[in-house]
Structures are given as structure tokens and as C-alpha cells.
Amino acid sequence: MNLAVTALDSTHGFLSPSGVEIVFVLVGLGVLGAALLTVTTKQLVHAALWLVVALGGLAVEYLLLTAEFIAWVQVLIYVGAVVVLVLFGLMLTRAPIGASPDADSGNRPLAFGVALAAAATLVTLVVDAFRSTWIDLGTVAGSTKANGVTLFRYWVLPFEALSVLLLAALVGAIVLSRRNANARDEKER
């Protein structure tokens, strides 16, 4: 056992990261910045565009972890479909394009405190759970076959539930936009 740990430590030192690990951390910081801008901007369209940057950065992280299939799924489904759905929802409900006074409430300090506490709790739990775990990127765990088997065996129901939820959101946006258009037409008469 000690021989394996010694061999692992000689090939992978904690204080001597590889180029991929450095890029992974830098892209992760970019994703974190884009995510913060997504939730803090007062312009809804800009928030959707920052969401594109954050989700695209996650796709790059998946590529760095040699999970090409998951990276393409991230780009096609989340960056493509979900963000387009959000933008269509904004257009159909005639949300304001510029800065929106409704996008800001007086609860920013409380929301920041709750978000900071939740992030600290999550980081503490993840670090404690995976403290001594190393991921060997040489295995086939990130292959398309392994990911497909895992996705279709364990994650089919959540994906289907999400698709129904997104469909309901789109139908709701259409109903709201037509209701507002009908009310506006009656006011004009």
C-alpha cells in the first residue's frame, strides 16, 4: 500500500500541478466570475449571456477531464437549448431589455450572507468527503460508452423531468404573453 502511495506522490505532487490542472483552475475561476455576474447583473438579457459564458466554461472543464461526450451534451443542451429557451421566455413575456428595477430587491445583503453560508457548507462537505481521493484520468471512466451507460441507467428520469419542466415553462411564457397582449388590446379599444 505504501509503495503505491509513494509512486503516486512521485508522479503527482500537490505543489507541482500540471498544465492541465492550472488551466482547469483558471477556467474554474472564469466560470465562477461568470456565474457571479449572472446572478448580480440587473439586466436580464446580460444575465442570460453570462449564463452562456458560465455553461460554456463548464464544457471546457469537462473537456479537460477527458469527458468529451459530456462536454458536447453541455454545449448542445445547456448552452444551446436552455439559454435559447430563457431568451425566448424573456422575449415572449416582453421583459425589459435594459436595467430592470424589478431585478433588484432590498435583500442583497441577506441573500449574500445566505449564499456565502451555503457555499461554505458545500465546500466543507465536498472537501471532507473527497479529501484523499485522486482521479486517475488514464482510465476509461470519461469515455462515451461509460458515460452513456451511466446516464441511461441512472439519470434518465431526471433528464425527462427537466424536459417536462422546461416545456411547462415555455407554455407558461406563451400563455402569459398572450394574456398580456389580449389585455393591452382591450385597453386600446
Side-chain angles (χ1 to χ4, degrees):
M1 179 77 177
N2 287 340
L3 183 60
V5 172
T6 305
L8 180 65
D9 290 339
S10 66
T11 60
H12 185 279
F14 180 71
L15 295 177
S16 60
S18 67
V20 173
E21 292 169 337
I22 292 170
V23 171
F24 187 87
V25 170
L26 292 175
V27 171
L29 290 173
V31 167
L32 179 65
L36 287 174
L37 286 169
T38 299
V39 297
T40 57
T41 186
K42 293 181 181 180
Q43 297 187 4
L44 297 176
V45 175
H46 288 180
L49 295 176
W50 282 115
L51 183 63
V52 168
V53 173
L55 294 174
L58 283 178
V60 171
E61 298 282 46
Y62 291 137
L63 284 175
L64 291 172
L65 291 173
T66 66
E68 295 87 6
F69 175 71
I70 301 297
W72 282 112
V73 168
Q74 174 80 13
V75 169
L76 292 174
I77 293 176
Y78 290 104
V79 176
V82 172
V83 172
V84 167
L85 183 67
V86 167
L87 289 173
F88 276 142
L90 288 173
M91 289 186 287
L92 285 172
T93 57
R94 294 188 175 95
I97 298 298
S100 174
D102 297 335
D104 190 19
S105 68
N107 297 328
R108 277 189 184 248
L110 177 65
F112 180 73
V114 170
L116 196 60
T121 303
L122 183 64
V123 166
T124 302
L125 289 174
V126 169
V127 167
D128 187 46
F130 299 105
R131 180 169 308 204
S132 62
T133 303
W134 289 96
I135 299 173
D136 183 18
L137 295 179
T139 63
V140 295
S143 71
T144 304
K145 181 179 179 184
N147 287 328
V149 167
T150 302
L151 283 174
F152 287 113
R153 182 173 295 154
Y154 303 111
W155 296 100
V156 171
L157 187 61
F159 278 133
E160 291 302 320
L162 180 63
S163 66
V164 170
L165 177 70
L166 292 174
L167 178 63
L170 183 60
V171 169
I174 292 170
V175 167
L176 286 175
S177 68
R178 290 186 182 238
R179 186 180 304 160
N180 290 341
N182 289 340
R184 191 175 41 250
D185 289 343
E186 288 184 15
K187 278 185 182 179
E188 291 175 0
R189 291 181 193 174

Coordinates of all heavy atoms in Angstrom, one line a residue, residues 136-176:
D136 N -7.8 9.2 -11.4 CA -6.9 8.8 -12.5 C -7.5 9.0 -13.8 O -8.5 8.4 -14.2 CB -6.6 7.3 -12.3 CG -5.5 6.8 -13.3 OD1 -4.8 7.6 -13.8 OD2 -5.5 5.6 -13.5
L137 N -6.9 10.0 -14.5 CA -7.5 10.4 -15.8 C -7.1 9.4 -16.9 O -7.6 9.5 -18.1 CB -7.1 11.8 -16.2 CG -7.6 12.9 -15.3 CD1 -7.1 14.2 -15.8 CD2 -9.1 12.9 -15.3
G138 N -6.3 8.4 -16.6 CA -5.9 7.4 -17.6 C -6.9 6.3 -17.8 O -6.8 5.5 -18.7
T139 N -7.9 6.2 -17.0 CA -8.9 5.2 -17.1 C -10.0 5.6 -18.1 O -10.0 6.7 -18.6 CB -9.6 4.9 -15.7 OG1 -10.3 6.1 -15.4 CG2 -8.6 4.5 -14.7
V140 N -10.9 4.6 -18.4 CA -11.9 4.9 -19.4 C -13.2 5.4 -18.7 O -14.3 5.4 -19.3 CB -12.3 3.6 -20.2 CG1 -11.1 3.2 -21.0 CG2 -12.7 2.5 -19.3
A141 N -13.1 6.0 -17.5 CA -14.3 6.5 -16.8 C -14.9 7.6 -17.6 O -16.1 7.8 -17.5 CB -13.9 6.9 -15.4
G142 N -14.2 8.4 -18.3 CA -14.8 9.5 -19.0 C -15.1 9.2 -20.5 O -15.4 10.1 -21.2
S143 N -15.1 8.0 -20.9 CA -15.4 7.6 -22.3 C -16.8 7.7 -22.5 O -17.7 7.8 -21.6 CB -14.9 6.2 -22.5 OG -15.8 5.3 -21.9
T144 N -17.1 7.8 -23.8 CA -18.5 8.0 -24.2 C -19.4 6.8 -23.8 O -20.5 6.9 -23.3 CB -18.6 8.2 -25.7 OG1 -17.8 9.3 -26.1 CG2 -20.0 8.4 -26.2
K145 N -18.8 5.6 -23.9 CA -19.6 4.4 -23.6 C -19.9 4.4 -22.1 O -21.0 4.1 -21.7 CB -18.8 3.1 -23.9 CG -19.5 1.8 -23.6 CD -18.7 0.6 -24.0 CE -19.5 -0.6 -23.6 NZ -18.7 -1.8 -23.9
A146 N -18.9 4.6 -21.2 CA -19.1 4.6 -19.8 C -20.1 5.7 -19.3 O -21.0 5.4 -18.5 CB -17.7 4.8 -19.1
N147 N -20.0 6.9 -19.9 CA -20.9 8.0 -19.6 C -22.3 7.7 -20.1 O -23.3 7.9 -19.4 CB -20.4 9.3 -20.1 CG -19.2 9.8 -19.4 OD1 -19.1 9.6 -18.2 ND2 -18.3 10.5 -20.1
G148 N -22.4 7.1 -21.3 CA -23.7 6.7 -21.8 C -24.4 5.7 -21.0 O -25.6 5.8 -20.7
V149 N -23.7 4.7 -20.5 CA -24.3 3.6 -19.7 C -24.7 4.2 -18.4 O -25.8 4.0 -17.9 CB -23.2 2.5 -19.4 CG1 -23.7 1.6 -18.3 CG2 -23.0 1.7 -20.7
T150 N -23.9 5.1 -17.8 CA -24.3 5.7 -16.5 C -25.5 6.6 -16.7 O -26.4 6.6 -15.9 CB -23.1 6.5 -15.9 OG1 -22.0 5.7 -15.8 CG2 -23.5 7.2 -14.6
L151 N -25.5 7.4 -17.8 CA -26.6 8.4 -18.0 C -27.9 7.6 -18.2 O -29.0 8.0 -17.6 CB -26.3 9.3 -19.2 CG -25.4 10.4 -19.0 CD1 -25.1 11.1 -20.3 CD2 -25.9 11.4 -18.0
F152 N -27.9 6.6 -19.0 CA -29.2 5.9 -19.4 C -29.6 4.9 -18.3 O -30.7 4.5 -18.3 CB -29.1 5.3 -20.7 CG -29.1 6.3 -21.8 CD1 -28.0 6.5 -22.6 CD2 -30.2 7.1 -22.1 CE1 -28.0 7.5 -23.6 CE2 -30.3 8.0 -23.1 CZ -29.2 8.2 -23.9
R153 N -28.7 4.6 -17.4 CA -29.1 3.6 -16.3 C -29.6 4.4 -15.1 O -30.6 4.0 -14.5 CB -27.9 2.8 -15.9 CG -28.2 1.8 -14.9 CD -27.1 0.8 -14.6 NE -26.9 0.0 -15.7 CZ -25.7 -0.6 -16.0 NH1 -24.7 -0.4 -15.2 NH2 -25.5 -1.3 -17.1
Y154 N -29.0 5.5 -14.8 CA -29.3 6.2 -13.5 C -30.0 7.5 -13.7 O -30.6 8.0 -12.8 CB -28.1 6.3 -12.6 CG -27.4 5.0 -12.3 CD1 -26.2 4.7 -12.9 CD2 -28.0 4.1 -11.5 CE1 -25.5 3.5 -12.6 CE2 -27.4 2.9 -11.2 CZ -26.2 2.6 -11.8 OH -25.6 1.4 -11.5
W155 N -29.8 8.2 -14.8 CA -30.2 9.6 -14.9 C -31.3 9.9 -16.0 O -31.5 11.0 -16.3 CB -29.0 10.5 -15.2 CG -28.0 10.4 -14.1 CD1 -26.8 9.7 -14.0 CD2 -28.1 11.2 -12.9 NE1 -26.2 9.9 -12.8 CE2 -27.0 10.8 -12.1 CE3 -29.0 12.1 -12.3 CZ2 -26.7 11.3 -10.8 CZ3 -28.8 12.6 -11.1 CH2 -27.6 12.2 -10.3
V156 N -31.9 8.9 -16.5 CA -33.0 9.1 -17.5 C -34.1 9.9 -16.9 O -34.6 10.8 -17.5 CB -33.4 7.7 -18.1 CG1 -34.6 7.9 -19.0 CG2 -32.3 7.1 -18.9
L157 N -34.6 9.4 -15.7 CA -35.8 10.1 -15.1 C -35.5 11.6 -14.8 O -36.4 12.4 -15.1 CB -36.2 9.3 -13.9 CG -37.5 9.8 -13.2 CD1 -38.7 9.7 -14.2 CD2 -37.8 9.0 -12.0
P158 N -34.4 12.0 -14.2 CA -34.2 13.4 -14.0 C -34.1 14.2 -15.3 O -34.6 15.3 -15.4 CB -32.8 13.5 -13.3 CG -32.7 12.2 -12.6 CD -33.4 11.2 -13.5
F159 N -33.5 13.6 -16.4 CA -33.5 14.4 -17.7 C -34.9 14.5 -18.2 O -35.2 15.6 -18.7 CB -32.6 13.6 -18.7 CG -31.1 13.9 -18.5 CD1 -30.2 12.9 -18.5 CD2 -30.7 15.2 -18.4 CE1 -28.9 13.1 -18.4 CE2 -29.3 15.5 -18.2 CZ -28.4 14.4 -18.2
E160 N -35.7 13.5 -18.1 CA -37.1 13.6 -18.6 C -37.9 14.6 -17.8 O -38.7 15.4 -18.3 CB -37.7 12.2 -18.6 CG -37.2 11.3 -19.7 CD -37.3 11.9 -21.1 OE1 -38.3 12.5 -21.4 OE2 -36.3 11.7 -21.8
A161 N -37.7 14.6 -16.5 CA -38.4 15.5 -15.6 C -38.0 17.0 -15.9 O -38.8 17.9 -16.0 CB -38.1 15.2 -14.1
L162 N -36.7 17.2 -16.2 CA -36.3 18.5 -16.6 C -36.9 18.9 -17.9 O -37.2 20.1 -18.1 CB -34.7 18.5 -16.7 CG -34.1 19.9 -17.1 CD1 -34.4 20.9 -16.1 CD2 -32.6 19.7 -17.3
S163 N -37.0 18.0 -18.9 CA -37.6 18.4 -20.2 C -39.0 18.8 -20.0 O -39.5 19.7 -20.7 CB -37.4 17.3 -21.2 OG -38.2 16.1 -20.8
V164 N -39.8 18.1 -19.2 CA -41.2 18.4 -18.9 C -41.3 19.8 -18.2 O -42.1 20.6 -18.6 CB -41.9 17.3 -18.1 CG1 -43.2 17.8 -17.6 CG2 -42.0 16.0 -18.9
L165 N -40.4 20.0 -17.3 CA -40.3 21.3 -16.6 C -40.1 22.5 -17.6 O -40.7 23.5 -17.5 CB -39.3 21.3 -15.5 CG -39.1 22.6 -14.7 CD1 -40.3 22.9 -13.9 CD2 -37.9 22.5 -13.9
L166 N -39.1 22.3 -18.5 CA -38.8 23.3 -19.5 C -39.9 23.5 -20.4 O -40.2 24.7 -20.8 CB -37.5 23.0 -20.2 CG -36.2 23.0 -19.4 CD1 -35.1 22.5 -20.2 CD2 -36.0 24.4 -18.9
L167 N -40.6 22.4 -20.8 CA -41.8 22.6 -21.7 C -42.9 23.4 -21.0 O -43.5 24.2 -21.6 CB -42.3 21.2 -22.1 CG -43.5 21.2 -23.0 CD1 -43.2 21.9 -24.3 CD2 -44.0 19.8 -23.2
A168 N -43.1 23.1 -19.7 CA -44.1 23.8 -18.9 C -43.8 25.3 -18.8 O -44.7 26.1 -18.9 CB -44.3 23.2 -17.6
A169 N -42.5 25.6 -18.6 CA -42.1 27.0 -18.6 C -42.3 27.7 -19.9 O -42.8 28.8 -19.9 CB -40.6 27.0 -18.2
L170 N -42.0 27.0 -21.0 CA -42.2 27.7 -22.3 C -43.7 27.9 -22.5 O -44.1 29.0 -23.0 CB -41.6 26.8 -23.4 CG -41.7 27.4 -24.8 CD1 -41.0 28.7 -24.9 CD2 -41.2 26.4 -25.8
V171 N -44.6 26.9 -22.2 CA -46.0 27.0 -22.4 C -46.5 28.2 -21.5 O -47.4 29.0 -21.9 CB -46.7 25.7 -22.1 CG1 -48.2 25.9 -22.1 CG2 -46.4 24.7 -23.2
G172 N -46.0 28.2 -20.3 CA -46.4 29.3 -19.3 C -46.1 30.7 -19.9 O -46.8 31.6 -19.8
A173 N -44.9 30.8 -20.5 CA -44.5 32.1 -21.0 C -45.3 32.5 -22.2 O -45.7 33.6 -22.3 CB -43.0 32.0 -21.5
I174 N -45.7 31.5 -23.0 CA -46.6 31.8 -24.1 C -48.0 32.3 -23.6 O -48.6 33.2 -24.1 CB -46.7 30.6 -25.1 CG1 -45.4 30.4 -25.8 CG2 -47.8 30.8 -26.1 CD1 -45.3 29.1 -26.5
V175 N -48.5 31.6 -22.6 CA -49.8 31.9 -22.1 C -49.8 33.3 -21.5 O -50.7 34.1 -21.7 CB -50.3 30.9 -21.0 CG1 -51.5 31.4 -20.2 CG2 -50.6 29.6 -21.7
L176 N -48.7 33.6 -20.7 CA -48.6 34.9 -20.1 C -48.5 36.0 -21.1 O -49.1 37.1 -21.0 CB -47.4 35.0 -19.1 CG -47.6 34.3 -17.8 CD1 -46.2 34.3 -17.1 CD2 -48.7 34.9 -17.0

